[in-house]
């Protein structure tokens, strides 16, 4: 009989973390979910809590993570962090601390347990990119002292310390650079474009396009992303790998698509572009294709419909 594997997911009550916990349980892992619920939400994991293979620990990983010596941990998925531009403005110190101190503690735990480790990094390490689409070899164009710098630099530090643990301590580490991802369990009010536009449309409010709306993003459905992350964790590749969907569009086109899909009566209005908002973003996923035999499978309309259905289902809930 195959030995049951045990994984830890930091940020496991968040959007991506909760999908990851669910994915691992479906693969018959035992899962320990650690979250301090700063931006995570217990409602994201309430359907998992009756499963005897699932454990939730409320803890801020900026502080030492205490896991019993007796417990074997095979894999650690490090996903804890605020992840929306308005979070960075409201939680700048927490964002820096979880990316730096939290990553250090999580790597320390991985070392103590001889566990495999994967860091949730981000396309934000490329900043406002001067190379397009972005390949893993691009070093980025980041403003370290701008409002987004707290996230970008924390993740760049997190990548650096992950590589240091790999090179110095020979830890089996992986780094995924996650591009814009969407799906059920995003927070309705986290300010990111997908929940913002969908909820505005569902309430027949005007859609707030920032700037002239010509900036581009490329949207990946959460299930595709999680599959790519799992495959990367099982690989023997240690340098960063982009995971995202190269289907690129302008924010204005995206707003029009949401109005059409929701049959909303909303209009589009224009607001100021936030400082350092990247003008273009599209992942080059040739490496993930070659290395992991992975590419996104979910069509944008299908994924958006599932996301719209989710937001409809929680419309009257306080989020
Ligand atoms: N955006 C927008 N209206 C909104 C929220 C976001 O036009 O209500 C734009 C934002 O300026 C950015 C893009 O949508 O160009 C994606 O923003 P998001 O906050 O989702 O994340 P980012 O990709 O910037 O990290």
């Amino acid at each position: 009989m195959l030995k049951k594997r045990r994984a830890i997911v930091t940020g496991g009550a968040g959007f991506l973390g909760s999908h990851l916990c669910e994915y691992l349980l479906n693969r018959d892992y035992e899962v320990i979910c650690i979250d301090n619920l700063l931006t995570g939400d217990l409602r994201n994991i309430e359907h998992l809590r009756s499963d005897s293979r699932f454990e939730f620990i409320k803890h801020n990983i900026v502080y030492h993570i205490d896991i019993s010596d007796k417990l074997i941990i095979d894999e650690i998925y490090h996903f804890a962090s605020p992840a929306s531009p308005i979070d960075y403005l409201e939680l700048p110190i927490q964002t820096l601390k979880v990316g730096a101190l939290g990553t250090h503690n999580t790597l320390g735990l991985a070392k103590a347990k001889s566990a495999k480790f994967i860091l949730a990094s981000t396309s934000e390490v490329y900043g406002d990119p001067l190379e397009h689409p972005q390949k893993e070899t691009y070093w980025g164009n980041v403003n370290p002292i701008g409002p987004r710098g707290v996230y970008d630099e924390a993740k760049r530090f997190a990548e650096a310390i992950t590589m240091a643990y790999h090179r110095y301590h020979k830890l089996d580490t992986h780094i995924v650079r996650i591009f814009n991802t969407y799906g059920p369990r995003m927070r309705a009010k986290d300010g990111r474009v997908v929940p913002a536009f969908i909820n505005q449309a569902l309430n027949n409010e005007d859609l707030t396009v920032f700037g002239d709306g010509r900036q581009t993003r490329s949207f990946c459905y959460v299930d595709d992303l999680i599959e790519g992350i799992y495959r990367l964790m099982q690989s023997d590749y240690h340098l960063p790998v982009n995971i995202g969907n190269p289907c690129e569009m302008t924010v204005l086109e995206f707003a029009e698509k949401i109005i059409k899909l929701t049959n909303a009566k909303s209009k589009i209005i224009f607001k100021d572009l936030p400082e350092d908002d990247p003008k273009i973003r599209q992942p080059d996923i040739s490496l993930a294709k070659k290395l992991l035999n992975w590419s996104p499978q979910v069509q944008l309309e299908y994924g958006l419909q599932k996301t719209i259905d989710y937001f409809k289902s929680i419309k009257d809930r306080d989020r």
Side-chain angles (χ1 to χ4, degrees):
M1 206 179 79
L2 215 63
K3 186 175 81 63
K4 240 196 182 77
R5 286 175 291 179
R6 189 179 288 116
I8 288 180
V9 180
T10 75
F15 163 47
L16 296 182
S18 64
H19 283 277
L20 199 49
C21 289
E22 198 174 295
Y23 180 97
L24 293 169
L25 288 168
N26 285 337
R27 285 193 167 257
D28 208 21
Y29 277 70
E30 291 185 7
V31 176
I32 300 175
C33 161
I34 305 179
D35 203 301
N36 68 345
L37 304 178
L38 183 63
T39 57
D41 190 325
L42 281 181
R43 288 174 291 197
N44 289 336
I45 52 168
E46 70 191 358
H47 61 301
L48 307 178
R49 291 189 75 178
S50 56
D51 191 321
S52 59
R53 300 165 305 163
F54 182 79
E55 185 187 351
F56 171 69
I57 300 175
K58 184 168 185 294
H59 178 67
N60 184 350
I61 57 157
V62 160
Y63 304 101
H64 179 80
I65 309 166
D66 203 13
I67 301 290
S68 159
D69 287 345
K70 293 189 210 83
L71 224 50
I72 293 169
I73 305 292
D74 301 287
E75 300 177 3
I76 300 183
Y77 296 79
H78 176 37
F79 275 65
S81 177
S84 142
I86 58 168
D87 290 339
Y88 317 148
L89 294 178
E90 281 167 21
L91 308 166
I93 316 285
Q94 289 95 327
T95 303
L96 280 160
K97 284 172 80 173
V98 73
L101 308 177
T103 303
H104 184 213
N105 283 333
T106 312
L107 281 164
L109 178 64
K111 179 168 158 268
K113 295 290 187 187
S114 302
K116 293 200 278 183
F117 175 93
I118 190 164
L119 168 71
S121 185
T122 165
S123 55
E124 283 283 321
V125 301
Y126 302 123
D128 190 5
L130 304 176
E131 179 181 302
H132 192 73
Q134 294 77 53
K135 278 201 203 60
E136 290 85 351
T137 45
Y138 178 50
W139 289 357
N141 178 39
V142 170
N143 173 4
I145 55 165
R148 302 170 84 106
V150 296
Y151 183 65
D152 302 7
E153 295 297 1
K155 288 294 186 184
R156 286 165 71 99
F157 172 87
E159 288 198 3
I161 192 170
T162 299
M163 288 311 298
Y165 267 69
H166 171 65
R167 293 192 177 114
Y168 188 75
H169 290 306
K170 311 284 178 244
L171 206 64
D172 185 358
T173 63
H174 309 274
I175 298 173
V176 54
R177 290 189 179 146
I178 299 171
F179 283 66
N180 292 69
T181 300
Y182 68 96
R185 302 196 203 127
M186 295 187 94
R187 283 179 298 148
K189 294 196 174 80
D190 85 354
R192 283 188 282 186
V193 70
V194 177
F197 285 179
I198 292 179
N199 285 290
Q200 288 163 346
L202 291 180
N203 294 318
N204 282 310
E205 293 164 3
D206 295 338
L207 269 63
T208 53
V209 167
F210 297 161
D212 59 12
R214 279 191 297 177
Q215 70 273 33
T216 69
R217 294 295 186 271
S218 313
F219 299 101
C220 183
Y221 189 63
V222 60
D223 291 355
D224 279 334
L225 182 96
I226 299 295
E227 179 63 36
I229 288 168
Y230 182 74
R231 288 189 195 190
L232 181 57
M233 180 66 122
Q234 309 313 317
S235 80
D236 53 12
Y237 190 79
H238 303 291
L239 297 174
V241 178
N242 291 338
I243 299 281
N245 192 325
C247 134
E248 183 186 17
M249 65 182 64
T250 67
V251 167
L252 192 56
E253 285 167 346
F254 187 65
E256 284 158 358
K257 190 175 277 296
I258 296 294
I259 291 180
K260 200 164 145 224
L261 285 175
T262 51
N263 289 318
K265 294 182 188 59
S266 312
K267 293 193 303 298
I268 290 173
I269 56 167
F270 294 88
K271 295 211 162 175
D272 288 346
L273 190 67
E275 200 179 331
D276 295 334
D277 197 284
K279 286 182 273 306
I280 41 177
R281 183 181 289 156
Q282 184 192 35
D284 181 318
I285 56 165
S286 337
L287 184 61
K289 278 185 179 158
K290 192 166 124 230
L291 204 68
L292 312 172
N293 191 24
W294 174 89
S295 60
Q297 303 297 313
V298 178
Q299 294 298 321
L300 185 64
E301 275 75 15
Y302 178 83
L304 283 177
Q305 198 53 59
K306 291 202 106 170
T307 313
I308 291 165
D309 292 346
Y310 168 76
F311 282 119
K312 274 187 190 158
S313 77
I314 62 154
K315 202 158 171 258
D316 299 321
R317 200 174 91 179
D318 169 35
R319 303 249 332 158

